[in-house]
Amino acid sequence: MRLYDLDTGYGAVELEVLGEYMDALCADAEHAERESILTTAEDDDLDGWGSILAFYPVSDNLAAVRTALAALIRIDGGSFTERALNATISGVGLAATVKESTLPQTVEISFPGVKGTPDNFATIQARVELIIPCHLNIVYVFRVFTWADLEAKFKNWVELETVRTWEGLEGQ
């Protein structure tokens, strides 16, 4: 009857071995499930998603990469409206907005939250031009340090006059 003793006999050893195998199988299945869903995939496994698209987003932030890859996947033949372009432009990996210009067949692209030209702008520009339909002209609009920014940063002129460099003025 030791065969049926599940705590100490042969059956216990067999159950332990089978249990370890089933635990490993379950862990592999959970990993495969997590990595097959874009919103839960992680760093290295996102490369698989990026490899089926035209490029990999420029961001180092995991959430931003997931958002950018999802935007790239949404690009299709019907992505020509301003709303659709705004939904897909984050595929560059940086928050960007598309606005119809007053000029015909022209869109304005801006980068909210970024002062001046974004880092790696040449790469971002190339990617934007892959996303925006080729029949549209693109005008890039960059945010600069404004008077309101200056007033928010410094309480008075005395405090402002202590700053000696442009980088110090912008606070970067």
Side-chain angles (χ1 to χ4, degrees):
M1 295 304 259
R2 288 186 324 169
L3 182 63
Y4 298 105
D5 182 2
L6 301 181
D7 294 324
T8 59
Y10 297 115
V13 173
E14 185 176 351
L15 281 177
E16 184 177 339
V17 169
L18 288 173
E20 289 173 3
Y21 177 76
M22 294 300 286
D23 287 345
L25 191 62
C26 184
D28 289 346
E30 287 174 355
H31 179 265
E33 178 186 23
R34 183 183 71 239
E35 299 309 321
S36 66
I37 301 170
L38 182 58
T39 57
T40 57
E42 295 181 359
D43 296 319
D44 294 336
D45 296 306
L46 284 174
D47 291 339
W49 285 96
S51 68
I52 62 172
L53 301 168
F55 52 82
Y56 194 80
V58 295
S59 179
D60 292 332
N61 179 313
L62 182 60
V65 170
R66 288 175 179 158
T67 301
L69 288 172
L72 289 171
I73 289 170
R74 284 192 302 266
I75 296 173
D76 63 9
S79 296
F80 295 136
T81 66
E82 185 175 332
R83 181 175 175 222
L85 289 173
N86 271 304
T88 57
I89 196 65
S90 62
V92 299
L94 180 68
T97 59
V98 178
K99 182 177 134 191
E100 190 173 343
S101 175
T102 56
L103 301 172
Q105 295 186 334
T106 303
V107 293
E108 295 176 356
I109 301 201
S110 62
F111 306 96
V114 176
K115 291 181 185 169
T117 307
D119 294 336
N120 301 323
F121 180 69
T123 303
I124 292 169
Q125 183 179 14
R127 292 175 178 188
V128 163
E129 291 171 5
L130 284 172
I131 293 172
I132 300 296
C134 62
H135 70 283
L136 295 176
N137 294 318
I138 301 169
V139 173
Y140 294 95
V141 179
F142 302 107
R143 183 172 180 263
V144 294
F145 198 64
T146 64
W147 189 258
D149 294 331
L150 195 64
E151 287 178 335
K153 185 167 177 69
F154 300 102
K155 296 176 188 157
N156 53 46
W157 285 104
V158 175
E159 192 175 311
L160 172 64
E161 289 174 356
T162 62
V163 179
R164 300 287 180 218
T165 65
W166 185 255
E167 290 78 17
L169 184 67
E170 287 186 324
Q172 294 183 7

